[in-house]
Amino acid sequence: MTDSDHSGIMGRVAIVTGAGGGIGAAVALALAARGASVIGVDHDEISLRATVTEITDKGHSALAYPLDVRDSAAVDHAVDTVERDVGPVGILANVAGVLRLGAVVDLTDDDWSSVFAVNTQGVFYLSRAVARRMVVRGRGVIVSVSSNAGGVPRMHMAAYAASKAATTAFTKCLGLELAAHGIRCNVVSPGSTDTAMLRGMWADADGARAAVTGSPELFKVGIPLGKLGMPADVAEAVVFLASDRAGHITMHDLYVDGGAALGG
């Protein structure tokens, strides 16, 4: 790692939602390795504390803040507490996400609202709370992890895809509003990434192969690079956009999907 890898990250307070596992844990680990003071956020306290322990065992800085991102008041209180007890938030990584599969005609009201509550409303609550404080300081970075499904229609993923498309649009609009204050807002859109969420979508042991080769019956192309993404692949994209190396990049949507969206 060179000094440039740490530019704009070392010494800054970074809130990472969904830090209990998958991509969120990878983002927390990657930011901490670059010298950020990571505030891990997740509703699953056990998994969250496991991630924080992994980070601190490596000699890096991290604290666990169990939080339900669907609770607006709790989010505001948590950000207040972090700013008071740890320091000004310089980086926000919105990674928490949930998935409900099903044909649109079979989706329940709860399926739809539950997905949007985390994937979209949670991003709004955290981003609003953090942005209000960043504006005063005239500095900050917000990165939202969306999905290539937000730009490419997927069978049986309407709620998830719609929530991610909304999050992508929201983050870009936020970036436009905050640009005059020196705050950058970007999106990272993964494709099929080897996480518990992806594995939960597989009907059998052949799921990984189908994700890579594609499913014509579902109108889904495969992955041109011929492999699943790994959480660390997405985390490195988040780290780049959070760093000063991306200092002239805002309102951008970076696909990290091995070419599955054919360039988005």
Side-chain angles (χ1 to χ4, degrees), residues 191-211:
S192 295
T193 305
D194 194 359
T195 62
M197 180 183 288
L198 178 69
R199 290 174 177 269
M201 296 171 61
W202 297 345
D204 51 42
D206 201 39
R209 183 197 63 78

Side-chain angles (χ1 to χ4, degrees), residues 76-149:
D76 284 337
H77 177 72
V79 174
D80 274 337
T81 302
V82 170
E83 294 243 337
R84 183 191 68 225
D85 296 346
V86 184
V89 177
I91 299 168
L92 169 63
N94 291 304
V95 193
V98 297
L99 172 71
R100 296 278 185 96
L101 297 174
V104 171
V105 295
D106 297 322
L107 287 176
T108 66
D109 292 352
D110 182 64
D111 289 331
W112 185 266
S113 60
S114 295
V115 170
F116 269 83
V118 176
N119 296 359
T120 307
Q121 289 171 211
V123 172
F124 167 61
Y125 295 151
L126 261 299
S127 298
R128 180 180 61 182
V130 169
R132 284 171 172 165
R133 294 157 177 84
M134 288 180 171
V135 163
V136 176
R137 296 188 285 266
R139 183 184 183 191
V141 179
I142 296 173
V143 182
S144 298
V145 174
S146 181
S147 170
N148 65 358

Side-chain angles (χ1 to χ4, degrees), residues 24 59 72 99 159 175 250:
S72 177
L99 172 71
T250 194

Side-chain angles (χ1 to χ4, degrees), residues 1 9 24-36 38 55 232 235-236 238-239:
M1 246 180 281
I9 294 177
V27 169
L29 285 159
L31 287 171
R34 267 68 169 199
V38 168
I55 292 172
E236 289 302 313
V238 173
V239 166

